[in-house]
Amino acid sequence: MNHNITAVIPVRKNSVRLKNKNFINFVHKKSLLEIKIDQLKKVKYIDDIVVSSDSLKAKEIAEKKGVRFHLRDKYFASSKCSGGNFFKNLAESISGDYIVYCPCTSPVITNRTYNIFFEKFLKLKKKYDSFNTVSELKTFIWKNHKPLNYNLLNAPNSQDLPRNYHALTFGINIISKTKMIKYKNIVGKNPKFIILSKFESIDVNDKVDFELAKLIYKKYFK
């Protein structure tokens, strides 16, 4: 049975740490939003692309690129709205059996990675309830002055640290619409983590991230 897969690109009008980061020139006179739309258009597994935003600039770009636009209510685009309520409202507002959550702040993801991600999803979707890209945390992690992932009295070499610590990159995420509403999240109760390479894991939050991502993008997307 085929299922409709809708990719959603969430875009806030007012980014906090880097003003207008989604709309300013990133590379080749294209913004992060334009680059993400172009990337998703090349993914054969996606049936529909929706830009969800409270920004009229995002609407202009969506229309120019020939993808759908969802006008987000100001509350659900504000810092007053919790992440859970944001995800729930987003899923309720978008059509499709499966929602692919793809922020444009992850610009350095290759077409090969998208294909691998969706091939694993189609093969294993009955076994897992969400698929999410992550980066592997191979570092010495502490919380409240205590180590979390190693024994302080028997510290390993960094390469021998446990491989079961991960950080969500938010690059590519897929979950059924019903479960996204139920869990109010893009991560299910039994997720399948897809580990990204270090350069593909970059998430643009501030000016430093923006400039670093630009350098990496120019190197790998000639």
Side-chain angles (χ1 to χ4, degrees):
M1 181 178 179
N2 293 325
H3 295 282
N4 185 264
I5 298 175
T6 301
V8 179
I9 308 173
V11 181
R12 285 180 64 175
K13 180 179 180 180
N14 297 313
S15 50
V16 178
R17 282 170 281 186
L18 178 58
K19 188 175 181 180
N20 294 322
K21 68 179 179 183
N22 299 306
F23 308 115
I24 58 179
N25 179 38
F26 181 65
V27 292
H28 309 313
K29 297 183 179 179
K30 288 185 178 181
S31 64
L32 288 171
L33 176 54
E34 290 171 300
I35 285 172
K36 184 56 62 179
I37 293 173
D38 289 344
Q39 285 180 344
L40 295 178
K41 278 186 169 183
K42 296 177 182 177
V43 181
K44 61 182 179 181
Y45 304 99
I46 293 173
D47 300 302
D48 200 7
I49 300 172
V50 179
V51 175
S52 174
S53 180
D54 58 331
S55 165
L56 292 180
K57 178 66 175 176
K59 182 180 180 181
E60 290 176 8
I61 293 173
E63 290 176 346
K64 177 184 175 183
K65 291 288 186 178
V67 299
R68 291 200 296 124
F69 178 78
H70 164 246
L71 181 61
R72 201 187 310 170
D73 183 274
K74 288 185 178 181
Y75 170 74
F76 293 105
S78 70
S79 299
K80 295 179 181 179
C81 177
S82 68
N85 287 332
F86 161 71
F87 287 130
K88 182 174 183 289
N89 173 261
L90 187 63
E92 290 173 337
S93 305
I94 304 297
S95 61
D97 299 311
Y98 284 91
I99 303 295
V100 186
Y101 184 82
C102 296
C104 54
T105 49
S106 297
V108 195
I109 298 181
T110 65
N111 191 57
R112 179 177 179 272
T113 296
Y114 278 111
N115 287 332
I116 290 172
F117 181 95
F118 281 99
E119 285 166 5
K120 288 186 177 181
F121 161 70
L122 292 173
K123 183 178 180 180
L124 302 171
K125 63 182 179 181
K126 292 183 179 180
K127 187 176 180 180
Y128 302 96
D129 59 0
S130 77
F131 290 70
N132 309 88
T133 56
V134 297
S135 59
E136 198 172 58
L137 287 178
K138 296 282 283 185
T139 187
F140 297 91
I141 306 172
W142 283 64
K143 180 182 180 181
N144 296 329
H145 300 283
K146 293 181 179 180
L148 289 182
N149 62 338
Y150 71 100
N151 185 336
L152 182 62
L153 300 179
N154 188 24
N157 294 323
S158 59
Q159 66 267 24
D160 297 322
L161 284 166
R163 302 175 64 91
N164 59 344
Y165 283 79
H166 301 98
L168 291 170
T169 70
F170 294 96
I172 320 172
N173 310 269
I174 188 166
I175 188 170
S176 70
K177 174 177 172 141
T178 54
K179 284 191 169 67
M180 187 169 170
I181 293 171
K182 179 180 179 180
Y183 300 143
K184 301 172 72 172
N185 210 310
I186 53 172
V187 183
K189 297 293 185 181
N190 183 33
K192 170 65 175 176
F193 289 154
I194 310 297
I195 300 175
L196 292 185
S197 63
K198 193 169 185 178
F199 78 88
E200 286 182 296
S201 299
I202 191 167
D203 181 42
V204 177
N205 287 307
D206 53 30
K207 181 67 175 177
V208 174
D209 294 336
F210 188 88
E211 294 301 326
L212 179 59
K214 186 188 294 186
L215 291 172
I216 295 172
Y217 188 94
K218 287 180 177 179
K219 180 176 177 61
Y220 287 96
F221 291 84
K222 295 179 180 178

